Amino acid sequence: MNATIKGIARETLSFVLEVSKSTYPNEFAGLLQAKDGIITDILILPGTESSEVNAVLKLFMLPNVSAVGSVHSHPSSVIRPSKADLRLFSKTGNHHIIVGHPYGPDNWKCFDGSGKVISLEVLDVDLEDEELL
Ligand code: ZN
């Protein structure tokens, strides 16, 4: 799963913001999965809506899950990785999205494995609902 990431599907980003809103004031965390270089899927763990450190930690303890990175919300609205975030970012993938309250369309940033802000394009793609076919 080291293919170049071209961006994230707009629908997927909206989904992240919606879930963040609905779990507020708790934290939401998930893993990013990509298809053909586009992030289209979020793997959400059940019961991650506890404290920030717990949620993110649990996420990275998942065995055998391929992910290009992670996503989690900061109910504090500070869009900056914490020390714990940075430790975990370095473990899996190279795209880590943090969304901050109030979870508007621009309340997010993407970081690389070392915690540096990187640009991530939001792409208008048609997501096929494969599960329904
Ligand atoms: Zn965090």
Side-chain angles (χ1 to χ4, degrees), residues 56-70:
V56 182
L57 257 179
K58 268 190 214 160
L59 195 63
F60 283 90
M61 278 164 37
L62 270 190
N64 307 319
V65 172
S66 67
V68 296
S70 69

Side-chain angles (χ1 to χ4, degrees), residues 1-118:
M1 289 295 263
N2 281 326
T4 309
I5 297 300
K6 292 176 241 166
I8 183 169
R10 189 176 301 279
E11 224 174 284
T12 306
L13 181 63
S14 312
F15 171 76
V16 164
L17 295 167
E18 281 313 308
V19 177
S20 298
K21 268 180 214 163
S22 67
T23 49
Y24 182 81
N26 295 314
E27 158 146 348
F28 140 78
L31 289 174
L32 302 175
Q33 299 192 298
K35 207 183 283 169
D36 301 327
I38 300 172
I39 297 166
T40 52
D41 281 300
I42 311 293
L43 182 71
I44 304 179
L45 301 189
T48 49
E49 71 288 341
S50 48
S51 75
E52 137 129 350
V53 174
N54 282 343
V56 182
L57 257 179
K58 268 190 214 160
L59 195 63
F60 283 90
M61 278 164 37
L62 270 190
N64 307 319
V65 172
S66 67
V68 296
S70 69
V71 57
H72 74 281
S73 65
H74 276 184
S76 65
S77 50
V78 179
I79 306 178
R80 201 171 48 214
S82 65
K83 274 189 191 150
D85 288 344
L86 288 175
R87 258 202 313 276
L88 296 162
F89 283 4
S90 65
K91 290 186 204 281
T92 303
N94 212 31
H95 291 79
H96 301 278
I97 298 173
I98 295 180
V99 294
H101 186 75
Y103 311 126
D106 299 317
N107 299 127
W108 64 279
K109 276 184 187 143
C110 186
F111 303 86
D112 69 9
S114 65
K116 224 171 48 196
V117 176
I118 54 174

